Short mmCIF file of all heavy atoms in Angstrom, two decimals:
data_model
loop_
_atom_site.label_atom_id
_atom_site.label_comp_id
_atom_site.label_asym_id
_atom_site.label_seq_id
_atom_site.Cartn_x
_atom_site.Cartn_y
_atom_site.Cartn_z
N ARG A 205 123.66 117.80 2.46
CA ARG A 205 123.21 117.78 3.83
C ARG A 205 121.87 117.05 4.01
O ARG A 205 121.20 117.27 4.99
CB ARG A 205 123.10 119.21 4.36
CG ARG A 205 124.41 119.97 4.33
CD ARG A 205 124.22 121.40 4.84
NE ARG A 205 123.97 121.44 6.26
CZ ARG A 205 123.56 122.53 6.92
NH1 ARG A 205 123.32 123.63 6.25
NH2 ARG A 205 123.37 122.51 8.21
N ILE A 206 121.48 116.25 3.02
CA ILE A 206 120.20 115.59 3.17
C ILE A 206 120.19 114.61 4.34
O ILE A 206 119.21 114.48 5.06
CB ILE A 206 119.76 114.89 1.85
CG1 ILE A 206 118.32 114.38 1.99
CG2 ILE A 206 120.70 113.76 1.48
CD1 ILE A 206 117.73 113.89 0.73
N HIS A 207 121.29 113.92 4.56
CA HIS A 207 121.44 113.04 5.73
C HIS A 207 122.79 113.29 6.38
O HIS A 207 123.54 112.35 6.67
CB HIS A 207 121.33 111.56 5.34
CG HIS A 207 119.92 111.15 5.01
ND1 HIS A 207 119.65 110.16 4.10
CD2 HIS A 207 118.73 111.59 5.44
CE1 HIS A 207 118.32 110.03 3.97
NE2 HIS A 207 117.76 110.87 4.80
N SER A 208 123.13 114.57 6.57
CA SER A 208 124.46 114.89 7.09
C SER A 208 124.61 114.44 8.53
O SER A 208 123.64 114.21 9.24
CB SER A 208 124.70 116.41 7.00
OG SER A 208 123.85 117.10 7.88
N GLU A 209 125.84 114.35 8.99
CA GLU A 209 126.12 113.89 10.34
C GLU A 209 125.52 114.80 11.38
O GLU A 209 125.09 114.38 12.44
CB GLU A 209 127.64 113.77 10.52
CG GLU A 209 128.03 113.04 11.82
CD GLU A 209 127.55 111.59 11.79
OE1 GLU A 209 127.48 111.00 10.70
OE2 GLU A 209 127.24 111.06 12.89
N GLU A 210 125.48 116.12 11.05
CA GLU A 210 124.92 117.08 11.99
C GLU A 210 123.46 116.75 12.30
O GLU A 210 123.03 116.78 13.45
CB GLU A 210 124.99 118.49 11.36
CG GLU A 210 124.28 119.57 12.17
CD GLU A 210 124.21 120.88 11.40
OE1 GLU A 210 124.88 120.98 10.35
OE2 GLU A 210 123.51 121.78 11.87
N TYR A 211 122.69 116.42 11.28
CA TYR A 211 121.27 116.09 11.49
C TYR A 211 121.08 114.66 11.90
O TYR A 211 120.05 114.30 12.50
CB TYR A 211 120.49 116.45 10.24
CG TYR A 211 120.43 117.94 10.02
CD1 TYR A 211 121.40 118.57 9.25
CD2 TYR A 211 119.48 118.71 10.65
CE1 TYR A 211 121.37 119.93 9.07
CE2 TYR A 211 119.44 120.07 10.48
CZ TYR A 211 120.39 120.69 9.71
OH TYR A 211 120.37 122.05 9.55
N ARG A 212 122.03 113.81 11.60
CA ARG A 212 122.00 112.44 12.10
C ARG A 212 122.08 112.46 13.64
O ARG A 212 121.43 111.68 14.33
CB ARG A 212 123.17 111.65 11.50
CG ARG A 212 123.38 110.26 12.10
CD ARG A 212 122.31 109.28 11.67
NE ARG A 212 122.59 107.96 12.18
CZ ARG A 212 121.78 106.95 12.05
NH1 ARG A 212 120.61 107.13 11.45
NH2 ARG A 212 122.08 105.75 12.53
N THR A 213 122.87 113.40 14.18
CA THR A 213 122.97 113.55 15.62
C THR A 213 121.62 113.91 16.23
O THR A 213 121.22 113.42 17.25
CB THR A 213 123.99 114.65 15.96
OG1 THR A 213 125.23 114.29 15.39
CG2 THR A 213 124.16 114.79 17.47
N CYS A 214 120.91 114.81 15.54
CA CYS A 214 119.55 115.16 16.00
C CYS A 214 118.66 113.94 16.00
O CYS A 214 117.83 113.76 16.90
CB CYS A 214 118.94 116.24 15.12
SG CYS A 214 119.72 117.86 15.28
N ALA A 215 118.80 113.08 14.97
CA ALA A 215 117.90 111.95 14.81
C ALA A 215 118.03 110.91 15.91
O ALA A 215 117.08 110.14 16.16
CB ALA A 215 118.14 111.28 13.44
N ILE A 216 119.17 110.91 16.60
CA ILE A 216 119.28 109.94 17.68
C ILE A 216 119.02 110.58 19.04
O ILE A 216 119.29 110.02 20.07
CB ILE A 216 120.67 109.25 17.67
CG1 ILE A 216 121.79 110.28 17.83
CG2 ILE A 216 120.85 108.44 16.40
CD1 ILE A 216 123.17 109.65 17.94
N GLY A 217 118.53 111.86 18.98
CA GLY A 217 117.97 112.44 20.18
C GLY A 217 118.94 113.15 21.08
O GLY A 217 118.59 113.48 22.21
N SER A 218 120.17 113.43 20.62
CA SER A 218 121.13 114.04 21.53
C SER A 218 121.08 115.56 21.55
O SER A 218 121.56 116.17 22.49
CB SER A 218 122.54 113.60 21.15
OG SER A 218 122.85 114.00 19.84
N SER A 219 120.53 116.20 20.49
CA SER A 219 120.56 117.63 20.45
C SER A 219 119.17 118.25 20.46
O SER A 219 119.02 119.45 20.41
CB SER A 219 121.31 118.12 19.20
OG SER A 219 120.64 117.71 18.04
N VAL A 220 118.12 117.44 20.48
CA VAL A 220 116.77 117.95 20.54
C VAL A 220 116.17 117.57 21.88
O VAL A 220 115.93 116.39 22.13
CB VAL A 220 115.90 117.39 19.39
CG1 VAL A 220 114.49 117.92 19.50
CG2 VAL A 220 116.52 117.75 18.04
N GLN A 221 115.97 118.54 22.72
CA GLN A 221 115.47 118.26 24.06
C GLN A 221 113.99 118.54 24.14
O GLN A 221 113.51 119.57 23.62
CB GLN A 221 116.23 119.14 25.09
CG GLN A 221 117.72 118.87 25.17
CD GLN A 221 118.03 117.44 25.58
OE1 GLN A 221 117.31 116.88 26.39
NE2 GLN A 221 119.08 116.88 25.03
N PRO A 222 113.21 117.69 24.77
CA PRO A 222 111.78 117.93 24.92
C PRO A 222 111.53 119.14 25.80
O PRO A 222 112.33 119.51 26.65
CB PRO A 222 111.25 116.67 25.57
CG PRO A 222 112.43 116.06 26.25
CD PRO A 222 113.62 116.43 25.41
N ALA A 223 110.40 119.80 25.59
CA ALA A 223 110.05 120.98 26.36
C ALA A 223 109.88 120.61 27.83
O ALA A 223 109.35 119.55 28.17
CB ALA A 223 108.74 121.61 25.83
N SER A 224 110.37 121.49 28.71
CA SER A 224 110.31 121.22 30.14
C SER A 224 109.10 121.89 30.82
O SER A 224 109.03 121.99 32.02
CB SER A 224 111.59 121.71 30.83
OG SER A 224 111.79 123.08 30.57
N HIS A 225 108.18 122.41 29.98
CA HIS A 225 107.01 123.09 30.51
C HIS A 225 106.00 122.09 31.05
O HIS A 225 106.08 120.88 30.79
CB HIS A 225 106.36 123.96 29.43
CG HIS A 225 107.32 124.91 28.78
ND1 HIS A 225 107.97 125.92 29.47
CD2 HIS A 225 107.74 125.00 27.50
CE1 HIS A 225 108.74 126.60 28.64
NE2 HIS A 225 108.62 126.05 27.43
N SER A 226 105.02 122.62 31.78
CA SER A 226 103.95 121.78 32.30
C SER A 226 103.05 121.31 31.17
O SER A 226 103.05 121.88 30.08
CB SER A 226 103.14 122.55 33.32
OG SER A 226 102.44 123.60 32.72
N PHE A 227 102.26 120.30 31.46
CA PHE A 227 101.33 119.77 30.46
C PHE A 227 100.37 120.83 30.00
O PHE A 227 100.06 120.95 28.81
CB PHE A 227 100.55 118.57 31.03
CG PHE A 227 99.51 118.02 30.08
CD1 PHE A 227 99.85 117.20 29.03
CD2 PHE A 227 98.17 118.39 30.24
CE1 PHE A 227 98.90 116.71 28.15
CE2 PHE A 227 97.22 117.89 29.37
CZ PHE A 227 97.57 117.06 28.32
N GLY A 228 99.87 121.64 30.93
CA GLY A 228 98.93 122.71 30.58
C GLY A 228 99.53 123.71 29.64
O GLY A 228 98.89 124.18 28.68
N THR A 229 100.79 124.07 29.87
CA THR A 229 101.47 125.04 29.00
C THR A 229 101.67 124.47 27.60
O THR A 229 101.44 125.12 26.59
CB THR A 229 102.82 125.44 29.60
OG1 THR A 229 102.62 126.01 30.90
CG2 THR A 229 103.54 126.45 28.71
N ILE A 230 102.10 123.19 27.56
CA ILE A 230 102.29 122.52 26.26
C ILE A 230 100.96 122.46 25.50
O ILE A 230 100.92 122.71 24.27
CB ILE A 230 102.90 121.13 26.47
CG1 ILE A 230 104.31 121.25 27.01
CG2 ILE A 230 102.87 120.32 25.18
CD1 ILE A 230 104.94 119.92 27.41
N LEU A 231 99.89 122.09 26.21
CA LEU A 231 98.57 122.01 25.56
C LEU A 231 98.11 123.34 25.03
O LEU A 231 97.65 123.47 23.88
CB LEU A 231 97.56 121.44 26.54
CG LEU A 231 96.11 121.30 26.04
CD1 LEU A 231 96.05 120.37 24.82
CD2 LEU A 231 95.18 120.80 27.13
N ASN A 232 98.26 124.41 25.85
CA ASN A 232 97.83 125.71 25.43
C ASN A 232 98.63 126.21 24.24
O ASN A 232 98.07 126.81 23.29
CB ASN A 232 97.96 126.71 26.59
CG ASN A 232 96.90 126.52 27.65
OD1 ASN A 232 95.81 126.00 27.36
ND2 ASN A 232 97.19 126.91 28.87
N THR A 233 99.94 125.98 24.27
CA THR A 233 100.77 126.41 23.15
C THR A 233 100.40 125.65 21.87
O THR A 233 100.29 126.23 20.78
CB THR A 233 102.26 126.17 23.48
OG1 THR A 233 102.60 126.89 24.66
CG2 THR A 233 103.14 126.64 22.33
N SER A 234 100.14 124.36 22.01
CA SER A 234 99.77 123.54 20.85
C SER A 234 98.45 123.98 20.28
O SER A 234 98.29 124.05 19.03
CB SER A 234 99.71 122.07 21.24
OG SER A 234 100.96 121.62 21.73
N ILE A 235 97.48 124.29 21.14
CA ILE A 235 96.17 124.74 20.66
C ILE A 235 96.30 126.09 19.95
O ILE A 235 95.70 126.31 18.89
CB ILE A 235 95.17 124.85 21.84
CG1 ILE A 235 94.80 123.43 22.33
CG2 ILE A 235 93.94 125.64 21.44
CD1 ILE A 235 93.93 123.44 23.56
N THR A 236 97.10 127.01 20.54
CA THR A 236 97.24 128.32 19.93
C THR A 236 97.89 128.24 18.56
O THR A 236 97.41 128.86 17.59
CB THR A 236 98.13 129.22 20.85
OG1 THR A 236 97.49 129.33 22.12
CG2 THR A 236 98.29 130.60 20.24
N GLU A 237 98.97 127.48 18.44
CA GLU A 237 99.65 127.37 17.15
C GLU A 237 98.79 126.61 16.13
O GLU A 237 98.78 126.97 14.94
CB GLU A 237 100.98 126.66 17.34
CG GLU A 237 101.98 127.47 18.16
CD GLU A 237 103.38 126.86 18.17
OE1 GLU A 237 103.63 125.90 17.37
OE2 GLU A 237 104.21 127.31 18.95
N SER A 238 98.06 125.61 16.59
CA SER A 238 97.21 124.85 15.68
C SER A 238 96.01 125.69 15.21
O SER A 238 95.61 125.61 14.06
CB SER A 238 96.70 123.57 16.35
OG SER A 238 97.77 122.74 16.71
#
């Protein structure tokens, strides 16, 4: 599964969706986790 088709699908962007939160929420979450 190092380059399996399942993860190849992720690599072309079809199964990983960007967060729909506001910029402020994304920034706050990133700062907290970092």
Side-chain angles (χ1 to χ4, degrees):
R205 300 179 70 192
I206 187 170
H207 287 149
S208 67
E209 191 63 31
E210 173 188 351
Y211 291 92
R212 171 73 176 174
T213 302
C214 290
I216 60 175
S218 60
S219 63
V220 179
Q221 298 298 325
S224 58
H225 306 298
S226 66
F227 176 79
T229 301
I230 293 173
L231 179 60
N232 286 334
T233 302
S234 300
I235 289 175
T236 301
E237 294 188 10
S238 299

